[in-house]
Amino acid sequence: IIEGSDIEPYRDASRSIYDAFRGAVKVLHSDNSTRKGGMDEFFADITSAVEEEWEKEEIDRRYLRTTQNGIWVYGDDAESCVVQITEDQSGATATSTWKQGGNFGMDGGKQKMCTYKLRIAALIAKRIQQKVRAETNFSTTVGTSVSPMLAKIASDLKKPNSCNILFPWRSRTIIDTMPLRRIPDLGSRTLRSIIPILKKYNRDQDPEFWTCAHLLNVPRHALHSCLERDKDGSLCDLLINRCKGVDTLAIIDDGGGINKQVSVEDSFIRGSLTSMDGVIQNLNLLFVRILRLLDKRKKSSQKPHEAYPRVLRLTARIVDRSVTSRRPFRNISKQAAINGNLLMEMQDREERIDFLKKHTIPLLNILQNVTDGLNVTRLNLASASFADIGLSSSSDQSVARTTQKNVSSFFQCQQSTPLLNAQGSVSKTEEYDQNHCRESNGSNHTKDVLPNPTRMQDVIENLKRKQHRKRKSHVSQSKRWKSSGSNDEEVPCEPLSSGVDPSFLDAIPADIAREILENRKLQENSSPQLPRKLGIQSYFTRL
């Protein structure tokens, strides 16, 4: 291998499909959200669109009692009751057969409503699928269910060019028998760490592959003890719930899925790149590729004038003989700040390449420190810290706030709860009431929590005056100390009655200042007063 694989055409196709997908979802309802899950996987929450359709008076509920043409439902007939689920990495395949029974915690009325709404969602998903095909000429497979994980499973049940529904009360037979690696956030490393307890609590000591049913046989405390990085047990609970078919992941809109980082890389056979000249020669090829990607990213950005990177990072994978593992490699990396705005404004191609070379060559000193002979197997050049990342993508997310109801709003926010009965997703569904988070703070704004520049300047000036008064007080106190020949102790300064700097209280809104003083008073009343520590002067006698 002399040159790493160039997936740029695949990236371009992914971007065009996602743009068409996002556009079709947003047209349905402004509250719908989308996000990218990978280069070939996109998720959407179309709960708002489904609810809007459900409330229409002209909708025929009888029409929803049967599955419409072009929509496949797991368990609707003998053919659709048997499915296969395959894990991509290992190739493990499980066969699942659905049998009547189970309601997934739903009574008859809720189950019927869930059925109707998922069929509405599937009809909407079919329209989205057709629009993507018309705009990009790509066929897609769509899964619809009540949670992100179930919708992803649904999209894998029948391919290609299909629109699938997975009812939650029919999902358990699939999840129990499917490979554990199909559970989101359960990778190979986590699986290796829990294999000992899987063997301990299951009769089958060496199955063809471990399943979700195997994990559910393990007590929670035993599972948690194997997850070293899971300090609070959140990962343990997440895995257990997902093995039961419960997924509380929300679809948070990504604002268009703009890349936070743009990178290119090349891979090399061991021993083929052993000189600094060769490294520089291959970097010249990466310069051309990364500039092309930066220009494409700028076109996709909602803020093109701010679509420039501020950091350039070089990463090299080298052969390190001190590493005793089967793969004796070590990654070394270094980054530097750049004037990306200047780079993106340049028009001449050679001038832009010279700019990148000027900032990349100094980063090569990471390779000069290699003492065991230079042997590079991979070069990666990345640009990051884009100025347009983090900017509000819509005006409703940047509504200005002029007042703050109480001081607790600065520090805490009640966690919103998932609407478990909200159905209707193209690839994944589930909605969190994001407005509830803002309402619990008594505000419709989530951005401006810092004082404005004028108020901040007032705070700084007040702090400066306070420090000046403190210095003057210290000087005058020292003079009193010297003039009082008979006194053995220093006269202490009078402490603040509230324990809070009055200049700070003057600089903040009056309602917040009152709450601070009230909280301070409550703390003083609830906690015992400790004796004041004596100064070091009390242990000496002046002669």
Side-chain angles (χ1 to χ4, degrees):
I1 300 175
I2 301 300
E3 183 177 337
S5 59
D6 186 3
I7 60 174
E8 187 176 341
Y10 197 60
R11 283 174 173 161
D12 294 342
S14 174
R15 166 52 59 181
S16 64
I17 295 173
Y18 183 65
D19 288 344
F21 171 76
R22 179 177 172 82
V25 171
K26 288 294 185 180
V27 165
L28 295 171
H29 198 285
S30 59
D31 291 340
N32 291 340
S33 58
T34 66
R35 70 173 175 87
K36 295 183 70 174
M39 225 176 272
D40 60 351
E41 187 176 60
F42 317 124
F43 310 135
D45 182 347
I46 58 171
T47 304
S48 299
V50 171
E51 293 295 336
E52 188 175 63
E53 289 288 329
W54 176 257
E55 293 173 0
K56 289 181 179 179
E57 294 181 357
E58 63 269 18
I59 188 170
D60 187 356
R61 302 293 166 87
R62 294 173 298 176
Y63 178 74
L64 298 174
R65 294 176 184 175
T66 58
T67 304
Q68 304 305 308
N69 294 332
I71 297 176
W72 182 91
V73 181
Y74 172 62
D76 256 15
D77 51 41
E79 183 180 354
S80 64
C81 283
V82 181
V83 295
Q84 288 187 331
I85 295 292
T86 302
E87 198 275 308
D88 295 334
Q89 299 297 323
S90 63
T93 302
T95 301
S96 303
T97 303
W98 180 75
K99 297 179 181 180
Q100 184 72 31
N103 58 9
F104 205 74
M106 296 182 179
D107 57 30
K110 290 183 178 180
Q111 185 170 316
K112 182 182 292 186
M113 182 178 293
C114 180
T115 301
Y116 289 168
K117 289 188 176 182
L118 280 179
R119 284 177 175 158
I120 294 175
L123 293 173
I124 294 175
K126 194 69 179 176
R127 298 203 302 266
I128 296 173
Q129 190 180 32
Q130 293 169 353
K131 187 171 182 179
V132 170
R133 180 62 181 265
E135 293 187 12
T136 66
N137 203 30
F138 279 97
S139 62
T140 58
T141 299
V142 179
T144 307
S145 192
V146 298
S147 72
M149 186 183 74
L150 295 184
K152 178 174 172 58
I153 293 174
S155 66
D156 292 335
L157 297 181
K158 187 177 186 298
K159 292 183 178 182
N161 195 26
S162 177
C163 182
N164 309 329
I165 297 178
L166 176 59
F167 296 127
W169 51 91
R170 297 181 183 178
S171 64
R172 191 61 185 267
T173 55
I174 297 177
I175 297 173
D176 280 348
T177 58
M178 76 179 188
L180 262 179
R181 283 291 307 275
R182 283 301 306 266
I183 295 295
D185 295 326
L186 201 159
S188 58
R189 182 175 180 178
T190 303
L191 180 60
R192 287 195 300 269
S193 66
I194 65 176
I195 283 179
I197 60 167
L198 290 173
K199 292 182 177 180
K200 179 179 179 180
Y201 290 96
N202 288 278
R203 293 182 179 179
D204 191 355
Q205 297 292 315
D206 190 22
E208 183 181 354
F209 54 85
W210 295 104
T211 67
C212 294
H214 288 138
L215 186 137
L216 293 178
N217 290 333
V218 179
R220 184 189 181 281
H221 71 273
L223 178 61
H224 187 210
S225 65
C226 295
L227 304 174
E228 297 180 356
R229 298 185 178 182
D230 185 24
K231 303 300 182 182
D232 58 355
S234 58
L235 177 58
C236 176
D237 294 334
L238 181 69
L239 296 180
I240 292 175
N241 286 331
R242 285 179 172 173
C243 285
K244 294 178 180 179
V246 179
D247 185 14
T248 57
L249 183 67
I251 305 298
I252 306 300
D253 194 86
D254 61 8
I258 194 72
N259 293 330
K260 297 181 180 180
Q261 174 179 293
V262 173
S263 65
V264 290
E265 69 176 33
D266 276 343
S267 300
F268 312 93
I269 297 176
R270 298 187 204 180
S272 63
L273 188 57
T274 57
S275 67
M276 195 65 70
D277 291 338
V279 171
I280 296 176
Q281 183 178 357
N282 282 277
L283 280 176
N284 289 331
L285 301 176
L286 296 183
F287 293 153
V288 177
R289 288 168 55 190
I290 198 171
L291 286 173
R292 191 162 59 243
L293 294 180
L294 287 173
D295 290 338
K296 290 181 178 180
R297 185 192 180 280
K298 182 177 181 178
K299 292 179 181 179
S300 302
S301 175
Q302 296 181 358
K303 301 282 185 178
H305 61 286
E306 297 187 6
Y308 58 86
R310 293 171 290 192
V311 171
L312 190 67
R313 180 172 62 252
L314 176 66
T315 303
R317 186 180 68 183
I318 63 173
V319 177
D320 189 349
R321 296 179 183 177
S322 63
V323 179
T324 58
S325 64
R326 184 175 60 88
R327 296 172 56 83
F329 301 124
R330 179 164 60 94
N331 289 322
I332 52 179
S333 179
K334 190 172 183 180
Q335 66 182 31
I338 62 171
N339 186 352
N341 192 20
L342 178 62
L343 172 66
M344 300 306 295
E345 289 179 351
M346 293 179 179
Q347 301 298 325
D348 184 69
R349 177 172 175 266
E350 295 300 326
E351 185 180 3
R352 300 177 77 188
I353 292 177
D354 290 340
F355 177 92
L356 290 175
K357 185 182 296 184
K358 175 184 175 182
H359 289 84
T360 305
I361 296 300
L363 303 180
L364 290 176
N365 60 11
I366 59 175
L367 299 177
Q368 295 175 353
N369 299 328
V370 177
T371 58
D372 196 20
L374 184 62
N375 191 348
V376 180
T377 60
R378 179 185 295 165
L379 283 175
N380 179 285
L381 186 66
S383 54
S385 186
F386 284 85
D388 59 346
I389 293 295
L391 295 176
S392 180
S393 58
S394 59
S395 59
D396 60 343
Q397 293 178 348
S398 58
V399 179
R401 177 174 57 186
T402 57
T403 60
Q404 189 71 15
K405 191 167 185 179
N406 51 53
V407 70
S408 60
S409 304
F410 285 105
F411 307 108
Q412 62 185 359
C413 175
Q414 297 178 6
Q415 185 177 0
S416 55
T417 55
L419 302 179
L420 297 178
N421 60 347
Q423 286 80 34
S425 162
V426 176
S427 285
K428 298 188 175 181
T429 86
E430 187 159 345
E431 181 183 54
Y432 276 79
D433 187 359
Q434 299 174 353
N435 291 329
H436 171 74
C437 181
R438 292 191 289 267
E439 290 170 0
S440 65
N441 288 341
S443 170
N444 294 324
H445 173 270
T446 59
K447 182 180 178 183
D448 274 338
V449 296
L450 294 178
N452 57 50
T454 305
R455 177 58 56 83
M456 181 61 76
Q457 187 63 32
D458 293 340
V459 172
I460 294 174
E461 293 298 329
N462 286 332
L463 290 176
K464 287 181 178 179
R465 286 194 292 269
K466 174 203 168 188
Q467 291 174 356
H468 179 66
R469 289 196 301 269
K470 190 174 182 180
R471 284 196 297 269
K472 289 178 63 177
S473 174
H474 178 71
V475 172
S476 60
Q477 191 172 337
S478 298
K479 291 180 179 180
R480 290 198 304 271
W481 176 280
K482 293 180 181 179
S483 61
S484 58
S486 60
N487 292 337
D488 294 334
E489 291 186 2
E490 177 183 358
V491 179
C493 295
E494 185 68 18
L496 297 173
S497 58
S498 65
V500 182
D501 180 19
S503 61
F504 171 74
L505 296 176
D506 293 339
I508 62 177
D511 55 345
I512 298 178
R514 284 194 299 271
E515 186 169 348
I516 289 177
L517 293 176
E518 291 174 359
N519 290 338
R520 181 75 179 179
K521 189 174 181 180
L522 289 174
Q523 291 175 1
E524 291 177 351
N525 294 336
S526 61
S527 58
Q529 294 292 332
L530 297 177
R532 184 175 62 87
K533 292 184 178 180
L534 299 176
I536 192 172
Q537 292 84 0
S538 61
Y539 296 97
F540 299 92
T541 302
R542 182 181 296 277
L543 299 177

